[in-house]
Amino acid sequence: MPASASLSPAVSPAELEARLRLHLLPELGPRRFRKLLDAFDSASAALSAPASAWRSLGLPAVCAEPRRSAEIRERAAAALRWLEQPDQHLVMWDDPGYPALLAELADAPPLLFVAGDPRVLESPQLAVVGSRNASRPGLDNARAFSRSLAAGGFVITSGLALGIDGAAHQGALEVDGRTVAVLGTGLQCLYPRRHARLAAQIVEQGSALVSELPLDCPPHAGNFPRRNRIISGLSVGVLVVEASPSSGSLITARLAAEQGREVYAIPGSIHHPGARGCHQLIRDGATLVECVEHILEALRGWQAPLVSTVPSAPPGDAHPLLALLHAAPHSTEDLAQASGQALAEVLAALTELELEGRVCNEAGRWLARKP
């Protein structure tokens, strides 16, 4: 199902090509893109208009001059060829499938390139972000929270970066949940390369890679903070797992607050530099989070009913899952079958036990930790 036909309204092939060309022009961001379409009614008409008409709209010459160049035409043609491949899509700001929350932004991306299933963008999303140089407990928290939230029906959205982002995506995939990776590069210039396999897994398991940037856009430092507004804009809330005061995830949290989204932060040791950013967020009004229920209670209107009924783990060794794990290691599915509980309930309980340091997951099997 080619993307240009699957989600878009009645846009002609010529108009689609014109929008791709417009999108490739230098210094033409979302606001200028919309200004041109508002002024000329179509990208085709905008490209045909004289440079003087562009100047009258306040657009610099650097935008207008290359609009008919051979290079711009060829790059647009390459994007059209990319869209002919399976699981490669383009979602435009006037498509019915464009994410409603993202559309609220004044600078919402006019075009989103999507590898995978674009329908996942319409589901309730929760952003999980944090440091690239995360501690082991931070990585464990990101995976544990993401597993439980994904099992309850939330799409886990993050930026595919090393550290917390990667752990969040992986946690969602481990429970066959959905996850969205918003890139700070074009989809043909995946970064970091160390996450190439994770990116492929995201697509293979029915989730999505997303970028507002041209397909061939390489890594540029300025594009990563810019993509953070998309991570927060897609989401009903943002969870910051671990972050130093200089972490880019604090930008995401600030944008989320400005966009009216919920902001959550996991506290840590006062001696750990990676906790200071989260502590700052809490001082600024973010919700302090110690367990998954703190998030689910605040987002009760969005969550799947099954997760809202998850009981808290009983104290001590009385927990039935602990009794099973003390007897032998189990997979999540085995625990659900042996305990008679629903899979999502088991996952939520395991998350709490893991955060308490009472269980761990090794090679897909859960083990009870010795006291």
Side-chain angles (χ1 to χ4, degrees):
M1 182 171 62
S4 54
S6 66
L7 289 180
S8 301
V11 172
S12 69
E15 176 63 12
L16 174 61
E17 191 263 355
R19 289 190 181 191
L20 289 168
R21 284 168 59 191
L22 210 61
H23 183 252
L24 288 164
L25 296 176
E27 298 187 23
L28 190 74
R31 296 174 192 269
R32 287 175 173 172
F33 190 103
R34 286 172 183 261
K35 179 182 284 190
L36 284 168
L37 263 62
D38 288 343
F40 298 106
D41 294 328
S42 71
S44 300
L47 290 173
S48 301
S52 59
W54 285 47
R55 287 195 300 272
S56 69
L57 294 172
L59 274 67
V62 69
C63 289
E65 287 173 354
R67 68 192 187 284
R68 299 170 190 164
S69 72
E71 179 193 356
I72 293 294
R73 289 178 186 274
E74 175 49 39
R75 291 173 68 195
L80 289 171
R81 292 192 293 270
W82 183 86
L83 288 170
E84 293 172 356
Q85 302 304 310
D87 294 325
Q88 295 179 175
H89 305 266
L90 182 68
V91 182
M92 295 186 276
W93 64 274
D94 51 354
D95 290 345
Y98 192 92
L101 287 178
L102 188 62
E104 295 176 358
L105 274 58
D107 59 348
L111 307 181
L112 288 173
F113 293 94
V114 181
D117 187 351
R119 292 171 298 184
V120 74
L121 298 176
E122 301 177 53
S123 300
Q125 300 175 49
L126 189 78
V128 179
V129 298
S131 172
R132 287 174 171 80
N133 300 310
S135 66
R136 173 48 56 187
L139 295 172
D140 290 344
N141 282 341
R143 290 178 73 167
F145 271 84
S146 296
R147 276 198 300 264
S148 188
L149 292 164
F154 281 106
V155 174
I156 302 301
T157 298
S158 198
L160 199 70
L162 300 176
I164 296 299
D165 288 20
H169 293 305
Q170 194 63 53
L173 295 174
E174 286 171 359
V175 296
D176 292 324
R178 298 292 175 261
T179 186
V180 169
V182 183
L183 276 60
T185 64
L187 293 187
Q188 291 181 319
C189 299
L190 187 70
Y191 180 87
R193 292 302 304 170
R194 283 167 58 184
H195 275 170
R197 180 69 197 102
L198 175 59
Q201 189 179 2
I202 288 171
V203 174
E204 290 163 4
Q205 291 190 214
S207 292
L209 308 176
V210 177
S211 178
E212 68 170 328
L213 298 167
L215 293 168
D216 56 359
C217 181
H220 291 299
N223 286 335
F224 291 94
R226 176 179 160 194
R227 65 88 188 268
N228 291 346
R229 82 188 194 289
I230 302 177
I231 294 175
S232 58
L234 286 168
S235 306
V236 296
V238 173
L239 170 64
V240 183
V241 176
E242 186 177 278
S244 68
S246 60
S247 172
S249 56
L250 297 194
I251 298 175
T252 309
R254 177 180 58 78
L255 291 168
E258 292 174 357
Q259 293 162 359
R261 312 299 196 250
E262 299 292 333
V263 179
Y264 308 94
I266 298 177
S269 167
I270 61 172
H271 304 293
H272 177 37
R276 291 174 187 163
C278 291
H279 293 170
Q280 180 63 53
L281 290 174
I282 293 167
R283 287 195 298 273
D284 292 343
T287 300
L288 186 152
V289 169
E290 294 176 308
C291 63
V292 173
E293 280 76 12
H294 291 163
I295 299 174
L296 296 181
E297 287 171 9
L299 299 177
R300 192 171 297 279
W302 295 96
Q303 71 191 79
L306 184 60
V307 175
S308 66
T309 62
V310 173
S312 298
D317 290 333
H319 200 291
L321 297 184
L322 270 182
L324 290 168
L325 293 175
H326 277 303
H330 285 69
S331 69
T332 307
E333 292 76 9
D334 290 342
L335 282 172
Q337 185 174 7
S339 66
Q341 298 181 50
L343 182 61
E345 294 181 0
V346 170
L347 284 164
L350 288 169
T351 296
E352 295 305 316
L353 290 170
E354 187 176 26
L355 292 172
E356 293 168 5
R358 301 165 75 188
V359 302
C360 62
N361 187 291
E362 295 182 4
R365 291 164 67 84
W366 291 95
L367 296 82
R369 289 184 182 272
K370 293 182 180 180

